[in-house]
Amino acid sequence: MTEHPRLPGSAPGRGPLSGLLVADFSRVLAGPYATMLLADMGAEVVKVESPAGDDTRSWQPPVREGVSTYYLGVNRNKRSIALDLKDPADAAAAQELARRADIVIENFKTGGLGRFGLDYASVSATNPRVVYASITGFGSGPAGAPLPGYDLIVQAISGLMSLTGDPEGEPFRAGISVFDVMAGMHATIGVLSALNVRHETGRGQHIEVNLLSSALSGLVNHASAVVAGGVVPFRMGNSHPSLFPYEPLPCADGDLIITAGNNGQFRRLVEVLGVPELADDPRFARNEDRTANRDELRPLLVERLSTRSKRDWFDDIIAAGVPCGPINTVDQGVAFAESIGLDPVVTVGEGEAGVPSVRHPITFSETPADYRLPPPALDEHGAELRRWLATEEDA
């Protein structure tokens, strides 16, 4: 890893990426999510913001003590420095940060950082070991680069919205910016892969991730249906094109998701429901039969499920080894994770400055994720970082 004076005020990290320095020139979601994951795993992340700050600082409500919870959700474990890249002194500080960094992550418009000497070619000329990740909406090619990279637009263009919603209704977006998050994860995977190569070669490389490619990869079976099968999938509401039952089914007091993904699970399900003969009915014996005859099978299952509450059926169906679950609100989802021992909420920072946050999703047996710094105020660490960047590397 790059040798540089330790960041001011930092302590040795305990995560698997401890000792790595990340220069974070990204904003909003995909890039900040990637850098937060790296920071949780021990990397030192310096978040470079414009004097106006990351856009998500003003994306509210909701807020916690006046701060956007959107911003809080993807910016823990980072230090903030506000730099006006049009100012020569600030641009020089940004260039020095990139020169010292092990990793640079940015999501500017293609070529946008070039005029500040912060594009991959400029940074790698003085820092050949840098792993430099660029996140765009539609790639860096001449046709894709000018297109605006918003998650909602990618949900529309990729085809996801054509798959989401009631079959007789309008297309819907997913409830989260799913492709921003996915692209952030792909960027993280790319960075870690390039670091492994650097261990062997001593050289970094340029990684490019775009939301549309992440979307097409994330459409998995639906994209495969098109490219391998020549079949265009369509909206089916909460139903699955290749499995049944694999959807919400009504009980006496509401819906329960039931997913019998193979013949054994289906047999156990109908035994619990008290209609074991359905497992041997030739219309329903195999998954392809159940899928083809779902309109005949669904009312037979609903007839039994409607006799009891969803909680009663949940307990019995789970006990039989068949996957199922209630449709929760987000707070109920957090509570359920707590009830099964996943400890989903952590406090980032100490005392009154501590901020509740969602636990890093990966568990390491030897080098656990760290929650050392609450999301920073704009330019909270600017003065000390400027002093640090002005020091000689061998100081």
Side-chain angles (χ1 to χ4, degrees):
M1 61 190 66
T2 304
E3 294 296 331
H4 51 75
R6 184 171 294 281
L7 282 173
S10 68
R14 57 178 181 164
L17 301 183
S18 176
L20 293 174
L21 174 62
V22 179
D24 181 6
F25 290 93
S26 69
R27 65 270 198 211
V28 186
L29 182 51
Y33 184 69
T35 55
M36 183 182 73
L37 294 178
L38 297 173
D40 289 350
M41 294 186 284
E44 296 279 7
V45 175
V46 175
K47 181 178 179 67
V48 179
E49 302 184 69
S50 74
D54 191 310
D55 289 351
T56 60
R57 289 183 181 275
S58 64
W59 287 9
Q60 47 185 271
V63 299
R64 176 184 173 84
E65 297 179 358
V67 181
S68 161
T69 58
Y70 198 123
Y71 170 79
L72 293 177
V74 289
N75 284 291
R76 66 183 176 223
N77 286 334
K78 303 176 186 180
R79 292 173 171 80
S80 170
I81 182 171
L83 297 175
D84 181 356
L85 298 181
K86 297 178 182 178
D87 178 89
D90 280 5
Q95 292 164 10
E96 177 62 15
L97 174 63
R99 190 182 72 81
R100 298 185 183 193
D102 295 283
I103 301 158
V104 171
I105 294 184
E106 59 93 10
N107 60 356
F108 278 66
K109 290 182 179 179
T110 299
L113 286 176
R115 61 192 175 117
F116 306 118
L118 290 167
D119 57 311
Y120 175 67
S122 300
V123 173
S124 63
T126 59
N127 182 5
R129 290 174 56 82
V130 71
V131 172
Y132 188 112
S134 297
I135 304 173
T136 62
F138 297 91
S140 59
L147 300 178
Y150 288 84
D151 181 274
L152 179 56
I153 295 172
V154 177
Q155 288 195 34
I157 289 177
S158 67
L160 175 67
M161 288 180 65
S162 76
L163 302 171
T164 308
D166 188 270
E168 307 303 322
E170 297 180 355
F172 273 83
R173 66 179 286 269
I176 63 166
S177 296
V178 60
F179 295 138
D180 268 331
V181 173
M182 195 174 292
M185 290 191 289
H186 287 162
T188 303
I189 293 168
V191 164
L192 298 178
S193 300
L195 288 172
N196 188 57
V197 173
R198 193 179 77 174
H199 289 319
E200 300 295 326
T201 67
R203 293 192 61 83
Q205 59 182 293
H206 190 195
I207 297 158
E208 294 188 72
V209 174
N210 69 80
L211 270 65
L212 182 56
S213 292
S214 288
L216 295 178
S217 174
L219 287 173
V220 286
N221 56 301
H222 294 297
S224 180
V226 171
V227 302
V231 175
V232 179
F234 54 89
R235 280 194 302 287
M236 298 181 65
N238 288 315
S239 298
H240 193 287
S242 308
L243 294 170
F244 186 83
Y246 199 95
E247 61 186 58
L249 293 171
C251 302
D253 60 348
D255 288 351
L256 184 69
I257 299 284
I258 298 177
T259 61
N262 57 52
N263 295 336
Q265 289 178 346
F266 179 70
R267 182 174 291 277
R268 292 194 294 275
L269 172 65
V270 294
E271 288 174 353
V272 171
L273 296 182
V275 282
E277 66 276 8
L278 295 181
D280 297 313
D281 189 312
R283 297 173 298 170
F284 314 133
R286 302 175 304 164
N287 174 68
E288 50 266 50
D289 302 321
R290 295 189 291 276
T291 302
N293 297 304
R294 67 174 74 212
D295 289 341
E296 298 174 53
L297 177 55
R298 184 186 287 107
L300 300 176
L301 300 178
V302 170
E303 182 180 6
R304 296 296 306 144
L305 288 164
S306 63
T307 62
R308 300 173 66 198
S309 72
K310 59 185 177 181
R311 180 70 212 192
D312 288 342
W313 281 125
F314 172 76
D315 291 338
D316 288 351
I317 293 171
I318 284 290
V322 179
C324 69
I327 301 175
N328 284 335
T329 55
V330 177
D331 60 317
Q332 291 170 333
V334 173
F336 181 80
E338 185 71 43
S339 74
I340 62 173
L342 294 182
D343 299 326
V345 180
V346 295
T347 299
V348 184
E350 302 292 335
E352 294 184 358
V355 175
S357 192
V358 174
R359 180 178 296 277
H360 186 86
I362 303 171
T363 299
F364 296 89
S365 65
E366 300 296 330
T367 52
D370 216 348
Y371 309 100
R372 53 201 181 280
L373 294 173
L378 177 61
D379 203 39
E380 179 176 342
H381 309 92
E384 56 188 353
L385 285 168
R386 286 181 176 85
R387 287 194 297 271
W388 174 71
L389 290 168
T391 63
E392 296 293 332
E393 281 199 279
D394 59 357

